[in-house]
Amino acid sequence: MTEPNSDCLFCRILRGEIPAKKVYENEHVFAFEDIDPQAPTHVLIVPKKHIAGLKEAEADDAELIGLCHLAASEIARQRNIEKGYRTVLNVGPGAGQSVFHLHVHLLGGRSLGWPPG
Ligand code: 5GP
Ligand code: ZN
């Protein structure tokens, strides 16, 4: 992990300081079960590099953001939820972002309404 942030909840999970149910990991990303699942599958995929959120991401982070989404598609395949799932980035408190380490929500395993709330 580069640029660790000692105050960041997801950096602490990445360091193993806070337990999480690991779902998937590769060189660049880590995925774990959301503690308060909103669907039968609710997984969070985070880059190992601390990026506060999409607003703060830079051009160099493009590959990492893409890799988070590709990890989501791999997990969805493994879980057999490819009939319909959603990847979500909440950006800013007004959209519900509460943890300021970029994360992709993978939601699936039930029908998902549109538009989201
Ligand atoms: P946000 O609201 O920032 O888009 O998403 C943060 C997510 O992190 C929420 O869905 C919340 O349930 C989840 N979360 C918050 N604290 C923890 C924790 O300690 N462990 C895990 N696994 N998920 C957490
Ligand atoms: Zn972090």
Side-chain angles (χ1 to χ4, degrees), residues 1 3-12 14-15 47-52 99-102:
M1 179 176 36
E3 302 171 36
N5 181 330
S6 57
D7 296 331
C8 169
L9 176 64
F10 290 170
C11 283
R12 295 190 68 195
L14 285 165
R15 287 197 296 268
K48 291 185 175 179
K49 173 187 173 185
H50 178 84
I51 305 168
V99 178
F100 292 86
H101 180 129
L102 189 146

Side-chain angles (χ1 to χ4, degrees), residues 19-64:
K21 283 192 200 159
K22 176 175 151 180
V23 169
Y24 177 91
E25 181 173 16
N26 66 28
E27 186 187 348
H28 297 292
V29 313
F30 186 80
F32 52 98
E33 302 284 355
D34 196 290
I35 204 167
D36 181 22
Q38 302 301 311
T41 284
H42 189 173
V43 171
L44 301 173
I45 302 108
V46 305
K48 291 185 175 179
K49 173 187 173 185
H50 178 84
I51 305 168
L54 192 62
K55 268 189 297 184
E56 292 80 10
E58 298 175 354
D60 280 355
D61 300 320
E63 188 177 0
L64 278 180

Side-chain angles (χ1 to χ4, degrees), residues 41-117:
T41 284
H42 189 173
V43 171
L44 301 173
I45 302 108
V46 305
K48 291 185 175 179
K49 173 187 173 185
H50 178 84
I51 305 168
L54 192 62
K55 268 189 297 184
E56 292 80 10
E58 298 175 354
D60 280 355
D61 300 320
E63 188 177 0
L64 278 180
I65 296 166
L67 288 170
C68 287
H69 285 84
L70 287 173
S73 80
E74 176 61 28
I75 295 161
R77 198 171 302 122
Q78 288 172 1
R79 295 205 169 184
N80 240 342
I81 58 166
E82 288 186 296
K83 183 179 175 199
Y85 62 86
R86 188 166 292 156
T87 59
V88 176
L89 277 148
N90 292 325
V91 184
Q97 186 177 4
S98 60
V99 178
F100 292 86
H101 180 129
L102 189 146
H103 50 282
V104 173
H105 294 257
L106 168 64
L107 295 150
R110 63 167 169 81
S111 64
L112 298 165
W114 190 262

